[in-house]
């Protein structure tokens, strides 16, 4: 090989080595950037998880108060602090007990809602906090006038319904401390052979040929009792009555279906 060819071969080798070094350097740099980026993303994710806070707001809808305690066995007393509104912040899942009350005359507790949806019908409720949410304790005012709604019927007259309501009131008036807010006729669809058989089986003494159903809303006693919470409104309580060929109505069943 002559001197010229040797020099040319050396130049080619040098250029090739340079390309290899540049390529290797770029690859190493790229891998380093990817590793560093991965570390940054992991760090951001951990920081985001560490900074997660669940926020729970409690507010009354109407005239009333709300309160909270951590745990599922919390007991509330008249001496506890109640608020017009309050906020709970936790950085991990937890269990809290919420309570609602009102001492304003004419007002009663109706229900809790969560983010606008019905959540619970009792004033004290246990909630597992796993996300942020907006709770409202709904209160309702009663002016003392019972609402009677006879609806529309092709079977029964107002006199038929009034005679059934009289029987219902005879029972309701034995409930000490309760307050009736409304009573309304269900509909004609209740008067079926299936419901007649059911009521005859429950009664066992008559041969009913007609049946009727009403719904009512009422307030529980202001001090509560061993069965119900204090000063709460129970809605859509059912009353099922039956009779034989136009005779006296008999109250056969009542409660929640």
């Amino acid at each position: 090989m002559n001197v010229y060819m040797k020099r040319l071969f050396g130049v080619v080798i040098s250029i090739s080595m340079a390309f290899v070094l540049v390529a290797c350097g770029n690859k190493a740099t790229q891998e380093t950037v990817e590793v560093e980026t991965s570390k940054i993303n992991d760090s951001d994710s951990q920081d985001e998880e560490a900074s997660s806070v669940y926020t729970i707001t409690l507010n009354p809808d109407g005239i009333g108060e709300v309160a909270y305690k951590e745990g599922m066995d919390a007991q509330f007393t008249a001496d506890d602090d109640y608020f017009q509104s309050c906020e709970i912040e936790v950085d991990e899942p937890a269990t809290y007990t919420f309570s609602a009350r009102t001492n304003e005359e004419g007002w009663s507790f109706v229900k809790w809602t969560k983010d606008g949806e019905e959540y619970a019908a009792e004033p004290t409720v246990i909630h597992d906090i796993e996300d942020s949410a907006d709770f409202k304790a709904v209160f309702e005012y009663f002016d003392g006038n019972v609402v009677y709604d006879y609806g529309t019927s092709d079977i029964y007259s107002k006199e038929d319904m009034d005679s059934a309501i009289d029987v219902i009131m005879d029972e309701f008036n034995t409930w000490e401390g309760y307050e009736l807010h409304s009573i309304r006729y269900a509909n004609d669809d209740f008067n079926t052979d299936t419901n007649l058989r059911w009521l005859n089986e429950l009664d066992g003494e008559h041969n009913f040929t007609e049946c009727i159903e009403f719904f009512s809303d009422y307030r529980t006693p202001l001090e509560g009792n061993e069965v119900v919470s204090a000063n709460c409104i129970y809605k859509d309580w059912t009353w099922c009555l039956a009779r034989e060929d136009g005779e006296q109505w008999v109250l056969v069943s009542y409660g929640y279906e």
Side-chain angles (χ1 to χ4, degrees):
M1 180 182 297
N2 59 34
V3 175
Y4 175 77
M5 290 299 293
K6 286 182 178 180
R7 289 179 177 175
L8 179 60
F9 182 74
V11 171
V12 171
I13 293 298
S14 298
I15 294 174
S16 298
M17 290 297 292
F19 275 116
V20 169
L21 290 174
V22 170
C24 290
N26 286 343
K27 182 177 181 181
T29 302
Q30 182 179 1
E31 289 178 350
T32 301
V33 171
E34 288 179 350
V35 170
E36 293 299 329
T37 302
S38 176
K39 289 181 179 178
I40 292 173
N41 290 338
D42 289 344
S43 176
D44 289 345
S45 177
Q46 291 172 359
D47 290 343
E48 184 178 349
E49 290 179 2
S51 63
S52 294
V53 175
Y54 305 131
T55 301
I56 300 294
T57 60
L58 305 178
N59 292 290
D61 182 356
I63 298 182
E65 301 172 310
V66 293
Y68 66 90
K69 288 183 179 181
E70 187 171 4
M72 62 183 301
D73 299 318
Q75 301 295 319
F76 291 86
T77 69
D79 296 327
D80 285 322
D81 290 330
Y82 278 76
F83 309 95
Q84 290 300 317
S85 64
C86 52
E87 185 176 279
I88 309 166
E89 288 190 351
V90 298
D91 55 10
E92 61 182 11
T95 299
Y96 274 74
T97 302
F98 308 149
S99 181
R101 73 177 185 186
T102 179
N103 296 318
E104 191 72 19
E105 184 176 354
W107 288 88
S108 302
F109 172 83
V110 179
K111 61 184 176 182
W112 282 98
T113 65
K114 176 188 176 186
D115 296 331
E117 301 291 331
E118 291 193 10
Y119 183 73
E122 293 295 326
T124 299
V125 60
I126 298 170
H127 178 67
D128 293 326
I129 298 177
E130 297 176 339
D131 56 8
S132 297
D134 178 29
F135 286 86
K136 290 188 184 298
V138 180
F139 298 90
E140 185 176 285
Y141 180 75
F142 177 60
D143 63 5
N145 296 312
V146 180
V147 176
Y148 296 92
D149 182 357
Y150 296 91
T152 302
S153 176
D154 295 325
I155 303 173
Y156 300 118
S157 65
K158 181 178 179 297
E159 289 72 22
D160 290 325
M161 295 185 192
D162 280 335
S163 62
I165 291 172
D166 287 343
V167 175
I168 293 172
M169 293 307 301
D170 286 343
E171 169 61 29
F172 187 84
N173 288 335
T174 66
W175 298 8
E176 186 174 354
Y178 289 76
E179 178 182 77
L180 184 66
H181 287 190
S182 67
I183 187 164
R184 56 196 176 278
Y185 176 63
N187 53 59
D188 288 347
D189 294 341
F190 183 75
N191 189 33
T192 65
D193 291 339
T194 299
N195 285 330
L196 278 171
R197 283 195 300 270
W198 168 57
L199 293 174
N200 274 305
E201 290 173 0
L202 285 179
D203 177 77
E205 297 180 6
H206 299 81
N207 182 26
F208 297 129
T209 58
E210 299 173 285
C211 57
I212 193 170
E213 181 182 41
F214 290 85
F215 296 113
S216 67
D217 300 343
Y218 62 81
R219 178 189 55 75
T220 63
L222 296 178
E223 301 299 326
N225 56 42
E226 65 278 4
V227 178
V228 296
S229 299
N231 196 21
C232 293
I233 300 223
Y234 280 29
K235 290 183 174 289
D236 299 328
W237 185 266
T238 63
W239 305 88
C240 302
L241 304 91
R243 68 182 180 183
E244 296 182 69
D245 300 322
E247 295 184 3
Q248 176 68 28
W249 290 106
V250 176
L251 179 59
V252 184
S253 175
Y254 53 88
Y256 283 121
E257 295 180 345

